[in-house]
Amino acid sequence: MNLKTLAEKVDLDEAEYQDMIDLFLKTTSLHLIQLETAIETEDTRKVIESAHSIKGSAASLGLTGISGVAWGMEANARANNLTGAGRAVQTIKAEMERVAELVSVSSTARNG
Amino acid sequence: MKVLIAEDDPVFCRLIETKLVKWGYETVVTHNGIEAWEVLKREDAPPLAILDWMMPDMDGAEVCGKARESSQIRPAYIILLTAKDRSEDITKGLQAGADDYITKPFDDEEFQARIKVGVRVVRLQRLLSDRVTELEASLRRVKQLQGLLPICSYCKNIRNDQNYWQKVESYISEHTEVQFTHGICPECFQRIVEPELERLKKETPLSDL
C-alpha cells in the first residue's frame, strides 16, 4: 500500500491527500491525548466523542485499520466498557506511525 | 454556486471543501453552528448549506430549526451530515427542517449527486420566486374594475369615487388600460346621423351644398 493508491481510493490527487493526512495526523494526535486522559479518568462520554471523531475522519481518508479500531473503542465505550481502550489507543498510534512513514516515503519520492 | 460548509472536524472540513471546489462550487467555511448561523443570516448567504450534525455550541439540527423559524432569512437548501450509525439523527434532522442528509464517511458519487439535487431545487426555487415577483409587478400595473358602478340610466355618465358624474369614456380610460377610438354604429347612423343630414339638406339652400 502506498499513498498514491490510498489517494485514488478517495478520489484525490497525491498532494491533496498528503495535505489531508498531515491534518489527520495532527488532529488525531490531539484526540489521542484526550483519549488517554479520558480513559484514565474513566470519562466514557469523552472516550465516545474522541473515538467517534477518529473513526469518521480515518474512514473518510480510507484508513480502514485506524477507523476499525476506533469503531470498536466507541462501541465498547457506549456499552460502558473501557477495557481494552488503552490497547486500542496504542494500536492507533502504531497505525499512525505507519501512515506517517508512507507520507515520508511519498514526499521523498516526489521531491527527490 | 456558493455552498456553506459547517464542520468542526478539520479533516472532514478540508475534505468537503476540496471536493466541492473540485466540482466547481464556491465555498464558505465555518467550524461551528454559531458561525454557520451568522453566515445564513447574511444578505448574501449561500443558497445551499452542508451542516454537520455534531458541532460545538450549536449543532446542525439547531441551526436548521433556527433557519426554518426565521422569516427574515432567505431559505437555504440544507443538507445534514451525520454518522452512519446514528439513524435517529436523520429523523430528528429532517424534522428540524433539513432538506436532505449525507452519512459519514460519504461516498463521493452519492455526495455529488445529493448536492446536484440541492442545486436543482435552489434553481427551481429561484425561478419560481422570480416568476412570482414578475407576476406581482404585472398585477400592480393592471388596473381592475370591480364591484358596483353607478351609471346614469339616461346619459350613461358614471359616478366616480369623488361623487362626480364622469363621462363613461374618461372613467374607463382612467381605471383601465383601455383607450377609446370613436366611430358611429349603424343603428345610431340611421337614427341620428341620417335624420340630421336630411334636416341639413332641407335647411341649406341648394347653392350652398
Side-chain angles (χ1 to χ4, degrees):
Chain A
M1 183 71 71
N2 61 31
L3 213 65
K4 195 165 181 282
T5 320
L6 283 169
E8 280 166 2
K9 267 172 69 180
V10 288
D11 201 24
L12 291 172
D13 64 40
E14 208 176 329
E16 283 169 343
Y17 188 70
Q18 188 174 327
D19 185 39
M20 303 280 175
I21 289 288
D22 286 341
L23 197 59
F24 171 77
L25 293 174
K26 275 182 206 151
T27 52
T28 306
S29 299
L30 293 174
H31 282 309
L32 288 176
I33 295 169
Q34 285 169 352
L35 261 177
E36 281 171 329
T37 314
I39 293 166
E40 259 178 47
T41 54
E42 296 186 352
D43 187 341
T44 318
R45 193 179 59 84
K46 288 243 167 75
V47 172
I48 294 171
E49 277 174 15
S50 297
H52 180 84
S53 296
I54 296 172
K55 177 190 76 179
S57 44
S60 71
L61 295 176
L63 304 172
T64 45
I66 296 176
S67 173
V69 176
W71 177 85
M73 192 175 3
E74 186 191 344
N76 285 337
R78 283 194 192 277
N80 256 328
N81 176 12
L82 294 184
T83 325
R87 204 169 55 247
V89 169
Q90 295 313 313
T91 311
I92 292 174
K93 277 185 180 171
E95 278 291 309
M96 280 170 65
E97 274 171 28
R98 210 169 65 85
V99 174
E101 181 60 26
L102 282 179
V103 173
S104 162
V105 170
S106 168
S107 294
T108 315
R110 279 194 294 135
N111 303 323
Chain B
M1 186 176 287
K2 221 191 268 184
V3 181
L4 167 69
I5 302 168
E7 169 64 83
D8 62 317
D9 184 301
V11 178
F12 262 118
C13 194
R14 182 79 62 85
L15 188 65
I16 296 168
E17 190 187 4
T18 307
K19 301 273 181 191
L20 288 179
V21 170
K22 212 177 232 185
W23 297 333
Y25 299 101
E26 199 185 326
T27 56
V28 179
V29 177
T30 60
H31 303 283
N32 61 54
I34 292 173
E35 277 177 23
W37 173 234
E38 287 304 317
V39 172
L40 283 173
K41 281 194 295 186
R42 290 195 323 223
E43 187 89 358
D44 61 342
L48 207 144
I50 299 167
L51 311 176
D52 184 31
W53 173 276
M54 279 172 81
M55 285 191 290
D57 304 323
M58 196 191 285
D59 66 33
E62 277 181 80
V63 179
C64 256
K66 279 177 92 76
R68 296 304 181 228
E69 277 167 21
S70 171
S71 55
Q72 284 160 356
I73 70 161
R74 207 171 48 171
Y77 186 90
I78 299 176
I79 301 173
L80 265 186
L81 274 175
T82 174
K84 224 171 209 154
D85 49 359
R86 304 276 299 163
S87 57
E88 68 269 30
D89 289 353
I90 296 168
T91 316
K92 273 191 212 162
L94 292 173
Q95 279 169 348
D99 296 289
D100 199 359
Y101 67 91
I102 296 171
T103 53
K104 293 197 287 189
F106 48 79
D107 170 76
D108 263 16
E109 280 181 18
E110 184 189 341
F111 184 36
Q112 196 174 9
R114 287 184 186 266
I115 288 171
K116 279 184 179 166
V117 171
V119 169
R120 274 206 303 274
V121 172
V122 166
R123 288 196 175 135
L124 196 66
Q125 269 175 343
R126 273 190 191 162
L127 192 73
L128 283 172
S129 159
D130 289 350
R131 287 285 151 84
V132 169
T133 312
E134 274 172 29
L135 275 172
E136 280 172 351
S138 302
L139 274 174
R140 277 195 296 275
R141 282 197 302 272
V142 173
K143 295 175 181 177
Q144 281 190 323
L145 283 175
Q146 280 181 329
L148 282 171
L149 205 56
I151 186 163
C152 169
S153 307
Y154 295 97
C155 70
K156 306 297 177 196
N157 279 354
I158 287 171
R159 196 176 67 208
N160 67 18
D161 297 338
Q162 286 78 45
N163 219 16
Y164 174 76
W165 289 93
Q166 200 175 353
K167 289 274 174 215
V168 70
E169 293 101 318
S170 74
Y171 185 89
I172 289 177
S173 292
E174 271 177 28
H175 290 80
T176 68
E177 298 293 323
V178 168
Q179 282 184 325
F180 284 92
T181 166
H182 289 88
I184 301 163
C185 73
E187 195 187 322
C188 291
F189 189 85
Q190 205 179 1
R191 189 168 56 83
I192 300 163
V193 181
E194 276 187 352
E196 187 64 12
L197 286 172
E198 283 303 312
R199 187 184 61 79
L200 282 169
K201 264 185 205 170
K202 280 178 192 159
E203 286 176 7
T204 313
L206 277 174
S207 56
D208 291 347
L209 287 173

